[in-house]
Amino acid sequence: MHRRLFSTLLAILAVLAAPRTAHGQERGAAALEQLVRGLPVNARVLIIGAHPDDEDTQLIAWLARGHQVHTAYLSLTRGDGGQNIIGTELGESLGAIRSAELLAARAIDGGEQFFSRAYDFGFSKNATETFQQWDREALTTDVVRVIRAYRPHVIVSVWSGTRADGHGHHEAAGLLARDGYDHSADTVRFPTQLHGHPWAASKFYRGAWARALPATLTFNVGAFDPVLGRSPAELAAVSRSAHRSQGQGGLERRGVVMSRLSREATRVNEATAADQETSLFDGIDTSLARVAAVVPANRAVLERATARMAWVQRALDLRRPAGVVDSLAHLVTSLEFARSTATRCGWGVVRRALTGGASMVECSHEQLDLDATLDRMIGRTKQALIVAAGIAVEVTAAKELLAFGDSMDAQVTIHNRGTHPVRWDDLQLTNAPRRPFDAVEIRPDSSATVTRQVMGLVDHRPWWTGGRNGRPLFVDTRSPVSGIAQVSYGATALLAPSVSIAEGSRRLSDATVWLSIGEIPVSFSVGELQFRYADPVLGEQRRQVGGVPPLTLALDRGLQWRRANTPIDQRIRMSVQSHTTSDRALSFRYLLPTGAKIDGVPDTMTLKAGESREVFINLKGALPAGRHEFGIGAESDGAVFTEGFREISYPHIPPLRLYRSSASYVHAVQLQVPKALSVAYVATQPDGTAQALREIGIPTTYLTPDELPLMDLARFTAIVIGPREYERAPELATMNPRLLEWVRAGGTMVVQYGQYEMTQPGMMPFPIGLTRPAARVTIESAPVKVLDPTSKLLTWPNRIGPKDWADWVQERALYMPTTIDPRYRTPIALNDPDEPENRGAILEATIGKGRYVYTSLSLFRQIPAGIEGGLRLFVNLLSAGLPPQ
């Protein structure tokens, strides 16, 4: 399906603005027990699905928390095309929210997170339709790159890869997962130089939780963990509830909870029937003996390391963890020695070879396995050591945003909360000059602080919003290798290493400390630079420190509607902020539509260090029908600044910054508006539709469901209920009797789509029914059949014709009724190819003197996307009960 790109001037860039914190992340004894229990565990599992909320959280929690298996989830998309039950963000900004929710979920269930470059273009009926938009070869390449980077022993596809998956993206994900399993070791199709060293996973499973496939392996994910205080199934429910934008909150199930998988392929135990397996790893040696013989000199080292791990597990006293500190420190030394004698086979080796910095290293499957195993075991052992030793490290700065070109002090503080002295030997901080370091001893119950000056920090822009070249696949326009041309769209494109980097490991900055613990030197990467502050209500808050342009300019809206050929006298608000440590003089530059002029704004301005101002610009004139560009830039110190950001904040995820240019579209639309029209728009949060009504001159009052009972409805001719508002605010249903009584008195009530709650008694004046899954028209260009050409909804005050149905985005309609009470009038019908006609897009009923209108058309997407036919039709729906003028 074609996705109209409304981002030429307004491309939104979103990224996490702070390190995540989540309910379920363990510290202290619980964290140490998990780490120590997992010391010898080196098996790796990759789970693949289509969307952020496709992940099998029970399987992830059972593997990662219950058995300490290294577990990752690859979501092909970020969920950009979904709906949003907690706010009004859609598209890439919703994708940023859902990415953050997925990282919060992984922090709870213990998994790692990967994404491909696929853009979620909305609901799709089958994989054939999906692959008309997604380039299958390009996404197979992404899956192969993740497999080669993570090197899983087992791959699990959430979906069956058949029509039974109920969504074209799901079916496609099931097919791509198997493509990845089959071809990740193919160096002809996917050369090592471009896509990393080949890897062949040992086994391939599919989820059998929906019983679409026969289960060959069944296991209990409800076993209680007395240290964590929960079972994996309970942790999975908490993890699942992180998807608040999708309404995925659920109960924590206690007791036996069975999970099911279906083995589809294996390279290791072909002689064992799938239904005879007792473990996901049957046929795979998951001990260190599997890799100990790869480097003969390492065999004895790894055998001793295995024995030491077993001793640490037996000796660990969670109330007195200092007893295992020396053994953990020696274990780190042994593993790092083994690491130093083994071949390195990561992307860095490939990159250095491509740029002439090193020769290409050929790695066998066994060497690749050893490489990944040692890296992960060293990381886990170091984590266990720092927790057991009672070491806490804080890397903080005095402010959250550092302007490019400025510098500031950063402090690294090490707290020794253990029972033995620790020597701090060295420090390296991102973008801080390396300086001689005087070692300092940190005694128990004391701390030490070192200050360094940092500058030139990276900003918060994520790799995945580099653009989409008009197609639903993100394109990274940055070259991963020096000297190689920028990435282009297509099956043979050179992919940046971005997709093969776990999302939770991306950092804008990093600090590494070298400590001597029990006279054994150990280095630790201790995390990002953070801005730490106290919120009077929420307490301690931490945000990721990053770079920012010295000046930012942000308009309050990226799209503004106006009636064509009518006088404009509009006030536009712009925020101008300095992020520098010195005063800045600036002068403004403007891009104005033909026929428009501005006044009320100064030509120049001086901002003090860190100052923020709001500037109000009066836009006047008259504009012909069409889309017009309006933009503002600020010139200062020889540079022109043309972008700004706004922040999205929800309590369950870190803040998100949305970057966009300091420009907007002014869309002048040819339409008629009845003078008597007055609207109350009921929604939990104001959305783009309510704002559009105001901009075309309709008096519109925004009301929350809580405010609705207090309002005198007689002042309005129309009341709008926002999309899914009955689900967001269940108390709204109790107000239906009053609303319908107002309709009987002559009002017009327009209800935008809901889901299955709309079928409940009393939700609508006359009953409707929805199938499961609900009917949709996902082809946005699907023909619209006019059943009643005389319908007022299609003729007044604006005559709706073929042009009004052109250029729609993502879909025509969703959650369409299929059983409709005959008292509703249905002026149009539509359907996707090879599907039955559906008349549930617009339902209209006369109730007393008024009109009740229910629409499942995706007008909530069309109007914010600048589709003028959507706005013209919406005005007609609002005018249903007014006498023609």
Side-chain angles (χ1 to χ4, degrees):
M1 289 180 292
H2 170 67
R3 170 74 179 171
R4 179 177 177 137
L5 293 179
F6 171 55
S7 56
T8 304
L9 293 174
L10 310 171
I12 296 177
L13 303 177
V15 71
L16 300 183
R20 64 186 187 277
T21 58
H23 176 62
Q25 280 186 283
E26 307 298 340
R27 296 190 296 177
L32 182 59
E33 191 273 342
Q34 288 260 305
L35 290 166
V36 169
R37 186 151 42 112
L39 287 176
V41 179
N42 57 79
R44 298 179 295 277
V45 175
L46 177 65
I47 301 169
I48 301 175
H51 305 112
D53 55 355
D54 288 355
E55 90 276 55
D56 187 339
T57 52
Q58 290 186 351
L59 178 59
I60 295 173
W62 181 75
L63 288 168
R65 295 294 193 196
H67 297 276
Q68 289 69 54
V69 173
H70 299 284
T71 308
Y73 174 55
L74 166 60
S75 176
L76 296 183
T77 76
R78 296 173 183 269
D80 326 76
Q83 294 125 46
N84 182 3
I85 198 172
I86 62 173
T88 61
E89 297 85 7
L90 296 172
E92 290 180 12
S93 55
L94 175 59
I97 292 173
R98 297 187 68 182
S99 297
E101 290 177 335
L102 204 46
L103 290 176
R106 294 295 80 80
I108 296 166
D109 57 36
E112 295 179 72
Q113 185 60 50
F114 291 89
F115 292 98
S116 84
R117 296 171 298 149
Y119 180 79
D120 181 354
F121 57 84
F123 189 85
S124 172
K125 299 289 179 68
N126 53 63
T128 301
E129 181 183 295
T130 296
F131 285 131
Q132 289 174 356
Q133 304 304 313
W134 287 353
D135 185 309
R136 182 168 182 170
E137 184 70 8
L139 289 184
T140 300
T141 306
D142 282 9
V143 174
V144 165
R145 283 200 63 99
V146 173
I147 292 172
R148 291 183 175 187
Y150 195 69
R151 300 171 194 166
H153 300 102
V154 176
I155 295 173
V156 178
S157 171
V158 174
W159 301 108
S160 68
T162 68
R163 295 292 174 88
D165 294 331
H167 192 314
H169 296 181
H170 297 166
E171 184 183 348
L175 296 172
L176 288 166
R178 183 58 194 262
D179 287 348
Y181 173 80
D182 289 340
H183 302 295
S184 56
D186 185 344
T187 56
V188 175
R189 184 175 174 184
F190 303 106
T192 300
Q193 293 90 335
L194 301 182
H195 309 296
H197 293 283
W199 177 260
S202 298
K203 303 172 79 175
F204 182 84
Y205 289 83
R206 294 192 187 274
W209 51 271
R211 301 186 186 274
L213 296 170
T216 62
L217 183 65
T218 304
F219 45 94
N220 177 25
V221 297
F224 180 70
D225 187 317
V227 177
L228 292 177
R230 281 189 173 99
S231 69
E234 291 173 90
L235 279 174
V238 180
S239 170
R240 189 73 176 169
S241 297
H243 297 282
R244 295 188 189 179
S245 67
Q246 304 306 297
Q248 294 291 326
L251 297 174
E252 298 179 32
R253 296 176 60 188
R254 294 172 176 83
V256 175
V257 180
M258 303 306 294
S259 188
R260 301 169 178 83
L261 294 175
S262 179
R263 194 189 82 187
E264 184 171 294
T266 179
R267 295 183 170 106
V268 291
N269 61 337
E270 295 94 336
T272 303
D275 59 0
Q276 297 300 309
E277 287 191 332
T278 59
S279 165
L280 194 65
F281 302 104
D282 278 3
I284 302 173
D285 181 1
T286 58
S287 72
L288 268 181
R290 184 186 74 253
V291 294
V294 176
V295 180
N298 279 344
R299 181 188 293 272
V301 174
L302 293 180
E303 287 175 351
R304 289 194 297 271
T306 300
R308 193 180 293 275
M309 291 173 189
W311 184 90
V312 169
Q313 290 177 327
R314 293 192 303 269
L316 176 63
D317 181 345
L318 292 177
R319 287 199 167 272
R320 297 173 182 82
V324 298
V325 167
D326 286 344
S327 291
L328 286 170
H330 282 93
L331 182 57
V332 171
T333 300
S334 298
L335 293 173
E336 288 189 329
F337 173 80
R339 166 76 279 180
S340 69
T341 61
T343 304
R344 289 198 172 273
C345 303
W347 167 257
V349 174
V350 177
R351 181 178 59 197
R352 288 192 296 274
L354 287 174
T355 56
S359 60
M360 178 62 67
V361 176
E362 297 293 337
C363 292
S364 67
H365 182 89
E366 292 74 20
Q367 288 174 315
L368 290 164
D369 195 5
L370 175 64
D371 180 73
T373 296
L374 288 175
D375 281 348
R376 292 184 176 278
M377 293 187 82
I378 290 170
R380 184 172 278 179
T381 305
K382 285 184 175 182
Q383 290 178 47
L385 173 59
I386 201 168
V387 175
I391 302 299
V393 184
E394 295 176 325
V395 187
T396 59
K399 61 182 182 179
E400 183 180 2
L401 298 175
L402 179 65
F404 303 146
D406 284 355
S407 62
M408 67 177 174
D409 286 343
Q411 292 186 326
V412 181
T413 301
I414 297 181
H415 304 273
N416 183 357
R417 299 184 290 186
T419 59
H420 294 86
V422 172
R423 191 176 71 242
W424 186 359
D425 295 322
D426 204 353
L427 165 68
Q428 177 61 47
L429 191 61
T430 300
N431 288 20
R434 194 72 181 267
R435 292 166 48 184
F437 192 92
D438 295 327
V440 56
E441 183 178 86
I442 309 173
R443 302 193 61 79
D445 296 322
S446 63
S447 61
T449 299
V450 172
T451 300
R452 290 285 187 267
Q453 194 172 73
V454 297
M455 67 179 300
L457 294 179
V458 177
D459 67 19
H460 293 89
R461 302 167 193 273
W463 67 271
W464 51 272
T465 53
R468 287 185 272 124
N469 279 5
R471 303 206 45 199
L473 188 72
F474 289 111
V475 178
D476 191 339
T477 56
R478 296 162 298 176
S479 172
V481 182
S482 176
I484 294 181
Q486 71 174 25
V487 176
S488 61
Y489 179 87
T492 61
L494 173 65
L495 295 179
S498 302
V499 296
S500 55
I501 300 173
E503 201 77 5
S505 65
R506 300 172 187 274
R507 294 176 176 176
L508 300 183
S509 60
D510 189 39
T512 301
V513 298
W514 284 261
L515 304 177
S516 291
I517 301 176
E519 300 303 319
I520 296 177
V522 185
S523 63
F524 299 92
S525 174
V526 293
E528 294 179 294
L529 192 58
Q530 296 180 337
F531 171 59
R532 181 185 179 204
Y533 68 99
D535 183 282
V537 176
L538 301 176
E540 179 171 317
Q541 301 293 299
R542 292 174 180 255
R543 294 195 172 196
Q544 182 187 50
V545 174
V548 68
L551 290 173
T552 55
L553 297 83
L555 298 176
D556 56 353
R557 293 186 302 282
L559 171 69
Q560 300 172 64
W561 288 95
R562 289 295 176 268
R563 293 169 64 183
N565 302 311
T566 58
I568 296 175
D569 190 355
Q570 175 194 359
R571 206 176 191 204
I572 299 174
R573 183 177 66 181
M574 178 182 67
S575 299
V576 186
Q577 184 167 2
S578 168
H579 302 277
T580 65
T581 56
S582 59
D583 294 354
R584 296 288 293 245
L586 57 139
S587 58
F588 293 115
R589 297 180 177 183
Y590 301 95
L591 172 66
L592 298 177
T594 302
K597 62 180 181 179
I598 59 171
D599 61 31
V601 62
D603 293 330
T604 61
M605 177 183 295
T606 299
L607 292 178
K608 297 182 185 230
E611 183 181 5
S612 177
R613 286 194 203 175
E614 286 198 344
V615 177
F616 291 91
I617 304 160
N618 296 320
L619 180 65
K620 297 183 178 181
L623 299 176
R627 180 174 292 181
H628 309 272
E629 296 177 0
F630 171 77
I632 302 178
E635 183 177 5
S636 178
D637 291 349
V640 178
F641 301 92
T642 59
E643 63 182 0
F645 61 81
R646 67 184 181 91
E647 187 175 281
I648 292 178
S649 181
Y650 289 103
H652 66 300
I653 57 174
L656 307 173
R657 286 198 184 88
L658 304 185
Y659 275 82
R660 64 185 184 190
S661 66
S662 53
S664 71
Y665 286 119
V666 180
H667 198 120
V669 58
Q670 193 73 47
L671 58 72
Q672 301 298 320
V673 175
K675 293 181 180 179
L677 192 56
S678 175
V679 176
Y681 198 100
V682 181
T684 303
Q685 295 187 20
D687 59 25
T689 303
Q691 183 61 41
L693 297 180
R694 289 194 182 109
E695 290 172 348
I696 61 173
I698 299 176
T700 302
T701 301
Y702 164 69
L703 298 174
T704 65
D706 291 339
E707 295 169 331
L708 184 59
L710 308 177
M711 182 62 62
D712 177 12
L713 303 183
R715 55 184 286 199
F716 305 112
T717 64
I719 293 176
V720 178
I721 306 298
R724 295 179 69 178
E725 199 57 40
Y726 284 103
E727 182 182 358
R728 288 189 176 98
E731 68 275 11
L732 188 58
T734 64
M735 307 175 202
N736 274 352
R738 181 185 177 217
L739 290 171
L740 292 178
E741 190 60 36
W742 173 82
V743 173
R744 290 187 183 93
T748 297
M749 183 174 175
V750 178
V751 179
Q752 298 183 73
Y753 94 103
Q755 296 189 352
Y756 295 100
E757 72 279 1
M758 302 307 296
T759 64
Q760 298 172 8
M763 296 298 287
M764 295 176 62
F766 310 119
I768 62 169
L770 277 72
T771 58
R772 288 185 181 270
R776 298 173 183 247
V777 177
T778 60
I779 304 297
E780 58 266 51
S781 59
V784 177
K785 180 179 180 181
V786 177
L787 302 177
D788 181 5
T790 65
S791 171
K792 187 178 175 184
L793 300 182
L794 303 178
T795 58
W796 188 85
N798 303 287
R799 183 165 293 277
I800 304 301
K803 184 178 178 181
D804 294 296
W805 301 109
D807 299 325
W808 280 41
V809 299
Q810 186 159 319
E811 62 205 354
R812 285 285 196 206
L814 65 171
Y815 290 89
M816 302 174 71
T818 50
T819 304
I820 302 169
D821 189 283
R823 285 169 285 189
Y824 289 113
R825 294 180 290 277
T826 55
I828 63 172
L830 55 159
N831 57 273
D832 277 335
D834 302 322
E835 293 190 359
E837 182 178 277
N838 188 299
R839 301 187 174 204
I842 300 176
L843 308 182
E844 180 196 15
T846 300
I847 302 177
K849 299 178 182 178
R851 298 289 188 275
Y852 180 93
V853 180
Y854 180 80
T855 180
S856 58
L857 293 170
S858 62
L859 299 176
F860 70 99
R861 294 193 193 277
Q862 311 311 319
I863 295 173
I867 307 303
E868 63 181 51
L871 185 58
R872 284 165 48 85
L873 177 60
F874 201 80
V875 171
N876 282 18
L877 302 185
L878 298 176
S879 308
L882 294 177
Q885 298 168 351

